[in-house]
Amino acid sequence: MASKVIQALYTDDDVLMHAVKKVRAEHHHIEEVYTPFPVHGLDKAMGLEDTRIAITSFIYGCLGLTVAIVMMNFIMIDDWPQDIGGKPSFSYIENMPAFVPVMFELTVFFAAHLMVITFYLRSRMWPFKKAENPDVRTTDDHFLMEIGIHDNEKELTDLLWGTGAVEINVTEKES
């Protein structure tokens, strides 16, 4: 299903920030903003909610720590106990100081790798996916704001020209 959107191009990030605030003040819904680099405060200006990605990172780290503890207890205590450097292998707690580096490394390993996978899945960026960038200039030096049109094309066009847009296009966007 295709929907009509208006795309406004800007050449400066400060002008874009001002435009986003003005468009939001007029109660228009901004579909997406494409920028060549991160613009500080843009997410707040667009009214986006905070992400919960830090919580998932903590959960993935706890999962890695649990896997490390269970793995080392099974390998070094239950399955194949060995006397390494005179350290007895009677219990996991007695040998835990020697296992701290492994616990740390697996915690970081799980958190880092599972966060990358989560980011790609959440962003819907799988291998061989076609790029969704509507204008190649946004990868170099332009900023693009995309707003859905709901029988208010003239009003939006006038508003966007007033915010300092250098180019305005109306296109069909696949949903």
Side-chain angles (χ1 to χ4, degrees), residues 8-12 14-16 18-20 22-23 142-143 145 156-168:
L9 275 166
Y10 297 90
T11 56
D12 186 60
D14 292 328
V15 175
L16 171 76
H18 174 70
V20 166
K22 195 167 185 180
V23 168
H142 282 69
F143 304 85
M145 181 174 18
L156 270 174
T157 304
D158 293 341
L159 174 66
L160 292 171
W161 281 123
T163 61
V166 294
E167 183 181 325
I168 295 178

Side-chain angles (χ1 to χ4, degrees), residues 65-152:
L65 181 64
T66 303
V67 167
I69 290 170
V70 169
M71 178 189 74
M72 289 181 300
N73 186 50
F74 177 73
I75 293 171
M76 298 300 290
I77 306 301
D78 296 336
D79 186 43
W80 194 271
Q82 300 175 38
D83 188 0
I84 300 173
K87 295 178 185 162
S89 56
F90 300 131
S91 72
Y92 178 80
I93 296 299
E94 290 175 352
N95 292 311
M96 193 185 69
F99 298 151
V100 168
V102 176
M103 291 187 300
F104 173 77
E105 291 298 330
L106 277 177
T107 301
V108 172
F109 179 84
F110 270 66
H113 286 79
L114 292 176
M115 284 302 300
V116 168
I117 292 168
T118 300
F119 173 76
Y120 283 139
L121 291 175
R122 184 71 177 99
S123 301
R124 296 189 165 117
M125 293 173 41
W126 14 85
F128 311 111
K129 182 177 187 245
K130 186 178 177 258
E132 295 178 3
N133 193 354
D135 194 327
V136 295
R137 293 177 288 181
T138 60
T139 62
D140 185 26
D141 62 349
H142 282 69
F143 304 85
L144 186 136
M145 181 174 18
E146 201 171 68
I147 305 168
I149 297 177
H150 307 288
D151 298 326
N152 57 352

